[in-house]
Amino acid sequence: MTALDLLLRTPSIVKENYGSVVSREDLEEGYLGSDMSVFVCKRGYLSEVRVCLEKMEDGSPGERVSCPETLLKADSCGDEIDIASF
């Protein structure tokens, strides 16, 4: 498995809303649920989406899993999230 195999597709909720605001609820749905990702915002704009993967016995990443509470606490976005346009 290569790093490219781990890339997640950008959900349509993000692609369809560049330059506008989305609700946290809609964004969570696009990333498979409220505990499946962590949203990091800077100056009100979404800057990172962190996801959690299981660790296989050989140390390689496995399937997506719910993120632990310690990581969920790093979430810094509010109920309305600005998606920047590039």
Side-chain angles (χ1 to χ4, degrees):
M1 180 180 295
T2 68
L4 290 176
D5 294 324
L6 298 175
L7 290 178
L8 300 175
R9 291 185 181 261
T10 301
S12 60
I13 185 71
V14 174
K15 292 189 275 189
E16 294 168 2
N17 287 285
Y18 288 134
S20 58
V21 176
V22 298
S23 72
R24 167 181 282 284
E25 186 176 311
D26 289 344
L27 195 58
E28 287 173 343
E29 186 177 307
Y31 281 97
L32 304 180
S34 63
D35 65 346
M36 297 294 286
S37 55
V38 176
F39 304 126
V40 178
C41 288
K42 293 185 180 174
R43 292 183 291 267
Y45 288 91
L46 183 65
S47 65
E48 293 178 45
V49 177
R50 299 174 185 171
V51 298
C52 298
L53 303 169
E54 69 181 332
K55 185 176 180 179
M56 304 305 288
E57 285 185 28
D58 66 358
S60 65
E63 298 295 317
R64 283 185 64 186
V65 297
S66 296
C67 295
E69 188 65 32
T70 53
L71 187 59
L72 292 172
K73 289 180 182 180
D75 191 298
S76 62
C77 296
D79 291 334
E80 299 291 316
I81 301 171
D82 286 303
I83 308 291
S85 60
F86 299 96

